Amino acid sequence: MKVAEAVGRALTEAGVRQVFGVVGSGNFHLTNAMVAAGSRFVAARHEGGAATMADAYTRMSGTVAALSVHQGPGLTNALTGVAEAAKSRTPLLVLAAEVTEPRSNFYVDQEALAHALGVLTARITSAGTAVEEARAALRRALHERRTVLLNLPLGVQGLDAPEGPPAAPLPRRAAVEPADTDVAALAQVLERSRRPVFVAGRGSRPPGARDALEALAERYGALLATSAVARGLFHGNPWSLDVSGGFASPLTAELIQAADTIVGWGCSLNMWTMRHGQLIGPDTTVVQVDDDASALGAHREVHLEITGDVAVTARQVLQQASGKRQGYRTDGIAADIAARVRWRDVPYDDTSTRELIDPRTLSIALDDILPAQRVIGVDSGNFMGYPSMYLSVPDERGFCFTQAFQSIGLGLATAIGAALAQPDRLPVAALGDGGAMMGSAELDTVRRLGLPMVVVVYDDEAYGAEVHHFGPHGHPLQTVEFPPTDIAAVARGYGFEAVTVRTRADLKAVEDWVAGPRSAPLLIDAKVVKDRGSWWLEEAFRGH
């Protein structure tokens, strides 16, 4: 058995069961070995799409996926998606063939490229150590929750590897126990609090965390919110404020600003989630709980830092709690949340015309038409606040938000990866026209995989964020505006059903598709009004 085959088999046996990529000569044998050992391989049309699919699959499945790419250009093509994964601390394994001869036209310093993106690196160095080196790279990805590049030199891949027994699956990362003194300190903070708010982030997504947080919040009368990446975690809870930060509804922002205690659970409390600190009152006590000590206080000063697993910490604090407290949970607050916490319940002036539809009107209508059991992948751009906050999701596995790098063009691939991780749900890709055209090659992947996906394009014929950021100051906009494009026709060329939507009545075709056999995916080319930027846009540009 050659090294490439031994490594592929070992990684599959260790727990990697889903691989995305584009196969070239350098990763051909490795990829086939993983398939032969039981992994599923999905061929993307571009390595950038493959990287994002692997990232999204990992986020939505809770397992480690792999990305397999050719040496040199295969890796460089994937870098934007890999950067997104690295910035999001996605435990992803990137398998890249490597040439070590600088005179080769395929040569680049792949290790240096990875380090520039914050990616950890490893290398297969010999036939005798190949399997353990591969397992060590996977172990780092899994236990450190990092994106890891495993370089596989071509010369080593072709060597004969020693035969060995099947490798055992790697154990999951152990839960971090909080210090007793920290648990007691948090219990004391909550005992004193009259208006506590819990903000849950990515670290609250693992199984069991929701139940633990809801039980603790019930005891202390805390309201519940999430960061964008954990959206849906408290879906159905009557005390849920939905998302904190730039996507927060006016009521959500008001209630968080009035909190006397904010506890971030597995949440970085960064500029997006806290609106550059504007959601934190001058006298608010801020607590942060995270099982990674380096995350504590990384984005803002906090009064109490606790290193510990979210679910474990919440349960231990609950054990020290005294009697049940009303806290923030009054009848008046309950009535306000029921009536005004959702964006769709906030009144607005519908600016739709006969030719263009208001994106809020579009999003509310789609929320009513599409099945509730859905998984949504969102691209970046001016439009992204509308699907992110007007389309509801059933739980934290229903919303995939690959926005740490703020690159457009990742949304369609995000939805593909999320769809494969949640196959029992309707996948919905929400894109702007710029991102849709940038990632359009993966429309073929959607059709080839037979995914019953709905692709919604908020089409304003521009890079809308730049139009609304620079236009009011009188700058020329020709570089960020485009002539009309029949995106529906593009989709039909890939085998989609497609509809152009200009008015609410045009959505009848979407209702028919939902009711029908869904034998082909559907693309909705929604021609939206372009008279204003979305509410979160100014907030986003402040973070640049």
Side-chain angles (χ1 to χ4, degrees), residues 242-258:
D242 207 350
V243 175
S244 173
F247 290 159
S249 68
L251 176 64
T252 294
E254 174 187 327
L255 292 174
I256 294 175
Q257 285 173 328

Side-chain angles (χ1 to χ4, degrees), residues 167-446:
L170 289 176
R172 299 188 66 84
R173 187 176 191 265
V176 177
E177 292 279 340
D180 292 343
T181 53
D182 288 340
V183 171
L186 178 52
Q188 291 176 3
V189 168
L190 292 174
E191 289 287 345
R192 295 192 299 266
S193 178
R194 299 180 61 185
R195 296 183 305 280
V197 171
F198 290 176
V199 182
R202 182 180 288 110
S204 299
R205 288 168 54 96
R210 170 177 173 158
D211 290 343
L213 291 177
E214 287 186 325
L216 187 63
E218 176 74 16
R219 181 65 61 90
Y220 285 110
L223 303 183
L224 298 162
T226 71
S227 66
V229 294
R231 184 176 180 230
L233 181 68
F234 300 119
H235 178 80
N237 189 300
W239 301 104
S240 171
L241 302 179
D242 207 350
V243 175
S244 173
F247 290 159
S249 68
L251 176 64
T252 294
E254 174 187 327
L255 292 174
I256 294 175
Q257 285 173 328
D260 61 9
T261 301
I262 294 175
V263 185
W265 297 92
C267 177
S268 65
L269 301 177
N270 61 22
M271 62 182 180
W272 309 111
T273 307
M274 291 289 107
R275 288 191 178 177
H276 301 272
Q278 292 179 5
L279 294 185
I280 301 174
D283 299 319
T284 301
T285 299
V286 180
V287 181
Q288 189 178 2
V289 180
D290 203 292
D291 65 1
D292 179 4
S294 68
L296 299 173
H299 292 277
R300 65 187 61 262
E301 182 181 353
V302 297
H303 301 94
L304 176 60
E305 300 177 355
I306 301 176
T307 303
D309 176 82
V310 165
V312 172
T313 303
R315 292 191 192 104
Q316 292 189 11
V317 174
L318 183 61
Q319 290 174 359
Q320 297 197 12
S322 58
K324 184 176 179 181
R325 304 173 67 87
Q326 176 178 278
Y328 221 156
R329 298 187 173 191
T330 67
D331 291 342
I333 295 295
D336 284 342
I337 290 175
R340 296 192 287 125
V341 83
R342 299 187 306 170
W343 269 107
R344 62 176 295 159
D345 296 326
V346 177
Y348 69 96
D349 293 327
D350 191 335
T351 60
S352 301
T353 69
R354 294 182 178 180
E355 296 296 321
L356 301 173
I357 190 169
D358 189 308
R360 295 165 292 186
T361 303
L362 169 71
S363 302
I364 292 170
L366 289 175
D367 190 44
D368 292 336
I369 293 170
L370 299 177
Q373 286 299 312
R374 61 186 71 151
V375 55
I376 300 172
V378 183
D379 210 327
S380 192
N382 173 61
F383 78 96
M384 63 183 273
Y386 300 112
S388 295
M389 293 312 302
Y390 285 89
L391 298 182
S392 62
V393 293
D395 54 33
E396 73 279 8
R397 302 291 180 189
F399 187 66
C400 195
F401 195 66
T402 50
Q403 300 293 333
F405 202 25
Q406 277 191 275
S407 172
I408 70 168
L410 306 187
L412 181 57
T414 295
I416 294 171
L420 294 171
Q422 300 290 326
D424 297 330
R425 302 183 182 192
L426 176 72
V428 180
L431 320 174
D433 56 300
M437 297 303 289
M438 191 178 290
S440 62
E442 303 306 344
L443 292 171
D444 173 77
T445 304
V446 175

Side-chain angles (χ1 to χ4, degrees), residues 33-240:
M34 297 187 76
V35 172
S39 291
R40 180 185 184 183
F41 176 70
V42 171
R45 282 300 190 178
H46 191 277
E47 289 90 349
T52 301
M53 291 174 202
D55 180 7
Y57 182 91
T58 297
R59 299 185 195 210
M60 293 293 102
S61 69
T63 62
V64 177
L67 168 67
S68 177
V69 296
H70 184 68
Q71 63 271 20
L75 179 61
T76 58
N77 276 348
L79 288 184
T80 298
V82 172
E84 168 63 37
K87 287 179 177 292
S88 296
R89 295 295 293 267
T90 300
L92 176 67
L93 187 62
V94 181
L95 306 171
E98 182 185 37
V99 294
T100 55
E101 173 52 61
R103 288 176 294 183
S104 169
N105 65 297
F106 285 133
Y107 177 80
V108 291
D109 190 337
Q110 297 187 172
E111 189 173 47
L113 288 175
H115 288 165
L117 303 179
V119 174
L120 301 181
T121 61
R123 177 173 284 107
I124 302 299
T125 61
S126 72
T129 58
V131 168
E132 185 47 45
E133 287 168 336
R135 285 176 60 86
L138 177 59
R139 188 179 300 110
R140 291 197 74 184
L142 185 64
H143 291 178
E144 298 180 33
R145 289 199 301 264
R146 296 289 297 275
T147 298
V148 178
L149 167 65
L150 178 60
N151 285 306
L152 295 104
L154 296 178
V156 179
Q157 283 194 53
L159 298 177
D160 291 321
E163 293 289 338
L170 289 176
R172 299 188 66 84
R173 187 176 191 265
V176 177
E177 292 279 340
D180 292 343
T181 53
D182 288 340
V183 171
L186 178 52
Q188 291 176 3
V189 168
L190 292 174
E191 289 287 345
R192 295 192 299 266
S193 178
R194 299 180 61 185
R195 296 183 305 280
V197 171
F198 290 176
V199 182
R202 182 180 288 110
S204 299
R205 288 168 54 96
R210 170 177 173 158
D211 290 343
L213 291 177
E214 287 186 325
L216 187 63
E218 176 74 16
R219 181 65 61 90
Y220 285 110
L223 303 183
L224 298 162
T226 71
S227 66
V229 294
R231 184 176 180 230
L233 181 68
F234 300 119
H235 178 80
N237 189 300
W239 301 104
S240 171

Side-chain angles (χ1 to χ4, degrees), residues 417-481:
L420 294 171
Q422 300 290 326
D424 297 330
R425 302 183 182 192
L426 176 72
V428 180
L431 320 174
D433 56 300
M437 297 303 289
M438 191 178 290
S440 62
E442 303 306 344
L443 292 171
D444 173 77
T445 304
V446 175
R447 185 69 175 106
R448 183 163 27 89
L449 293 175
L451 297 175
M453 182 181 290
V454 174
V455 178
V456 185
V457 182
Y458 291 74
D459 186 359
D460 62 1
E461 300 173 358
Y463 292 143
E466 284 66 34
V467 167
H468 294 292
H469 184 60
F470 294 108
H473 302 290
H475 297 291
L477 299 174
Q478 295 89 336
T479 54
V480 292
E481 292 180 324

